[in-house]
Amino acid sequence: MNQQYEQELQSSWQERQEYAEIMLPLIGKLYRNKAVEISVYGRSLLNASAIDIIKAHRKVRLHEGIKLRLRESYPILEALSTMKIAPAQIDIGKLAFDFHYGSAVDNDDLTTYLTDKLSDVVDKDDNQQPQDVVLYGFGRIGRLLARLLIERQGKNNKLRLRAIVVRGGRDGDLEKRASLLRRDSVHGPFNGSITIDHERNALKANGSFIQVIYANSPDEVDYTQYGIDNAIIIDNTGIWRDRDGLGLHLKAKGAAKAVLTAPGKGDIKNIVHGVNDGEVTLDDTIVSAASCTTNAITPVLKALDEEYGIKNGHVETVHSYTNDQNLIDNYHKGDRRGRSAPLNMVITETGAAKAVAKAYPKLGGKLTGNAIRVPTPNVSMAILNLNLEKATDKLSVNEFLRDTALFSKLQHQIDYTASKEIVSTDLVGSRAASVVDSEATIVSDDRLTLYVWYDNEFGYSCQVLRVVRDMANLSFPTLPL
């Protein structure tokens, strides 16, 4: 028995681990040198560990019914590392499965296969210029955006975090900012090294020099004195939400555009990447990335409406508490929100159901919505109760959403789980805007109840960066679909 155990360990796990370990430097170099981000069936391998790579490959069996071996995907990665490729997001899992088991099973020439499948980016020049980015505010979303921007550092990085702007400037402020970036009670430790440059009032994170600027108003900052020009300002303070207020950013020297990480008011475009990002034009100087809940539900609703038609429905969000609430009972201008957030479920309002129509007008007037704040620090859920135009069943809906999550233009927005055991903490760090819980799906003829998880901090921050890319006119095609 012991001999059999040793043989299985060496022949299976050790092989996978060895392949994963030799894949790591290739994945890193492809991103740093060519801005090519590698994934396996939608799971990004950027800054992944060897175990993460193995787990990503195991996911393939859930969707295809058979396993994808690392020795089958490694040649794909190795070939990509030698090719001239423009910036893109490339799924080596889908390529490897298709090459070995799909339409390309009889094609023996890997290079020819890859050149054909990746024709949009192979042998293409990279003419996209790097874009300076400034974080205005350094709270929950600001620090997660910083982590996402820093993890993409490299000579070919297209979004460069140049500065953060905060109020304050008191003694010890830099140390406190660094500490909050370094450690996070929800998302864990920062993956890398952070030091403080007191002389230049800056942070250094994984080789990135990040200027810390103190200001009380956006229009009093001169970014050019720090070598920053034509910057996109990501406002995650929530203080200014209309065009006049956000327009203060554009009065600052060196600032060109602004992205709001909250629902915009008035005529400001509310962009949910994957749904209406095509509305972003080169002339837009101010846009909103909408809310976390709007980003979570709109892609799923759009997909369902296009497939089945939605007559009407109600959206109930079960949302983790936020800094807007009180830790213990105290005065709050909002109804009920003054009561202790860690001790109570709190019924409150949400504008997400109405906000869906700003990104996807076909559902205008068809949805109502409400919210319950609950005593968890992160990861929320939206319960979609929908009346459809045509009858269906649970299996059909789940298969449709699974395929949408894997093979559609919404694959970065919608993820899918078939786990019977999953709970909210399992979704911390999800990069998708939402995760469909297929086991909880309920269908009765034309009535559908869908449970959709979302990391209202990290998943939303990923969506914000996608909108920033749109504003910077950066293109990273996802191949293959």
Side-chain angles (χ1 to χ4, degrees):
M1 178 64 75
N2 288 338
Q3 184 177 3
Q4 181 182 357
Y5 170 79
E6 292 294 337
Q7 289 175 345
E8 289 179 352
L9 180 65
Q10 292 181 15
S11 64
S12 179
W13 178 259
Q14 187 169 324
E15 180 193 84
R16 282 179 281 174
Q17 195 162 23
E18 288 175 352
Y19 270 109
E21 288 168 352
I22 61 175
M23 291 170 81
L24 285 171
L26 296 181
I27 293 169
K29 288 179 180 178
L30 275 167
Y31 187 81
R32 289 192 301 273
N33 298 335
K34 301 180 182 180
V36 173
E37 184 172 347
I38 299 298
S39 63
V40 171
Y41 274 64
R43 181 173 293 188
S44 174
L45 300 185
L46 182 63
N47 291 325
S49 66
I51 299 300
D52 292 330
I53 295 174
I54 293 171
K55 289 170 67 176
H57 281 73
R58 289 185 63 185
K59 180 181 177 182
V60 177
R61 183 194 287 244
L62 298 176
H63 302 292
E64 303 291 1
I66 59 175
K67 67 172 65 175
L68 176 67
R69 297 170 177 83
L70 275 76
R71 65 171 178 264
E72 294 170 331
S73 62
Y74 172 72
I76 304 284
L77 185 63
E78 186 179 36
L80 292 176
S81 68
T82 66
M83 300 171 72
K84 179 182 178 182
I85 309 175
Q89 299 176 73
I90 298 178
D91 196 313
I92 62 170
K94 293 177 183 176
L95 290 170
F97 192 89
D98 183 52
F99 184 74
H100 291 288
Y101 304 105
S103 62
V105 70
D106 295 325
N107 189 340
D108 295 327
D109 184 40
L110 179 58
T111 301
T112 301
Y113 169 76
L114 291 176
T115 301
D116 176 60
K117 288 292 183 180
L118 306 177
S119 59
D120 290 346
V121 294
V122 170
D123 292 328
K124 298 292 193 301
D125 292 324
D126 176 15
N127 298 316
Q128 300 182 106
Q129 298 302 310
Q131 171 68 57
D132 286 351
V133 176
V134 173
L135 296 175
Y136 198 97
F138 207 52
R140 298 298 300 154
I141 300 302
R143 293 194 295 274
L144 290 179
L145 288 170
R147 287 187 174 203
L148 286 167
L149 287 163
I150 293 167
E151 78 173 6
R152 286 164 164 74
Q153 284 298 86
K155 67 180 183 181
N156 210 28
N157 179 41
K158 300 301 180 183
L159 293 178
R160 297 180 175 177
L161 176 58
R162 299 295 309 279
I164 62 173
V165 183
V166 292
R167 293 183 180 182
R170 293 173 293 183
D171 289 343
D173 185 84
L174 279 177
E175 285 80 3
K176 181 59 67 176
R177 304 290 178 184
S179 178
L180 286 170
L181 181 59
R182 188 179 291 119
R183 305 174 183 89
D184 192 285
S185 300
V186 173
H187 299 280
F190 175 80
N191 186 21
S193 172
I194 298 173
T195 58
I196 300 169
D197 186 333
H198 284 286
E199 183 178 348
R200 293 192 288 176
N201 209 62
L203 303 179
K204 293 181 179 178
N206 292 2
S208 303
F209 180 86
I210 307 167
Q211 186 69 53
V212 179
I213 303 170
Y214 297 104
N216 293 316
S217 178
D219 55 344
E220 70 182 44
V221 184
D222 180 359
Y223 294 108
T224 59
Q225 67 176 302
Y226 305 104
I228 302 169
D229 196 20
N230 198 39
I232 295 178
I233 315 299
I234 307 177
D235 187 321
N236 51 85
T237 67
I239 297 173
W240 303 278
R241 293 173 57 187
D242 59 14
R243 190 167 293 278
D244 289 340
L246 293 169
L248 294 172
H249 288 294
L250 306 184
K251 295 181 180 180
K253 292 182 179 179
K257 298 182 179 183
V259 174
L260 171 64
T261 63
K265 295 182 178 179
D267 65 343
I268 293 177
K269 293 178 181 178
N270 283 257
I271 302 300
V272 175
H273 189 87
V275 175
N276 67 330
D277 47 284
E279 295 179 10
V280 178
T281 69
L282 292 175
D283 295 329
D284 283 320
T285 55
I286 299 174
V287 301
S288 158
S291 72
C292 58
T293 303
T294 305
N295 274 271
I297 64 177
T298 307
V300 178
L301 289 168
K302 178 179 185 290
L304 289 170
D305 183 61
E306 291 178 345
E307 181 70 12
Y308 299 103
I310 296 176
K311 294 179 183 177
N312 51 57
H314 177 79
V315 178
E316 193 73 28
T317 66
V318 183
H319 200 292
S320 293
Y321 60 76
T322 66
N323 275 334
D324 174 68
Q325 295 170 258
N326 293 328
L327 288 176
I328 58 175
D329 291 359
N330 209 340
Y331 174 81
H332 194 293
K333 65 180 181 179
D335 297 337
R336 310 191 208 220
R337 291 199 187 192
R339 302 298 296 278
S340 173
L343 296 178
N344 293 289
M345 293 190 294
V346 179
I347 297 176
T348 185
E349 72 284 342
T350 177
K354 291 183 179 179
V356 168
K358 289 188 175 182
Y360 187 63
K362 282 187 65 178
L363 292 182
K366 293 185 178 183
L367 300 174
T368 58
N370 213 33
I372 305 170
R373 295 288 180 95
V374 295
T376 55
N378 184 42
V379 180
S380 302
M381 171 180 282
I383 305 171
L384 311 180
N385 291 293
L386 306 173
N387 294 311
L388 306 176
E389 296 284 356
K390 56 185 179 182
T392 184
D393 56 76
K394 178 177 178 177
L395 180 61
S396 297
V397 170
N398 282 342
E399 286 185 346
F400 166 71
L401 290 172
R402 181 194 62 196
D403 289 345
T404 300
L406 282 173
F407 305 112
S408 79
K409 293 182 178 180
L410 292 171
Q411 61 183 279
H412 296 299
Q413 285 66 52
I414 302 174
D415 201 352
Y416 178 94
T417 177
S419 172
K420 296 180 180 180
E421 301 290 342
I422 202 165
V423 294
S424 60
T425 55
D426 296 324
L427 278 306
V428 172
S430 172
R431 292 175 183 256
S434 60
V435 181
V436 174
D437 193 321
S438 62
E439 285 297 313
T441 301
I442 301 171
V443 181
S444 178
D445 295 326
D446 60 352
R447 290 176 294 162
L448 167 65
T449 300
L450 199 67
Y451 291 78
V452 178
W453 300 97
Y454 57 108
D455 185 327
N456 48 278
E457 294 184 336
F458 197 83
Y460 174 65
S461 296
C462 292
Q463 280 287 89
V464 171
L465 279 192
R466 293 171 186 131
V467 174
V468 174
R469 282 199 329 229
D470 295 334
M471 289 290 278
N473 196 34
L474 295 173
S475 175
F476 297 86
T478 298
L479 299 169
L481 279 179

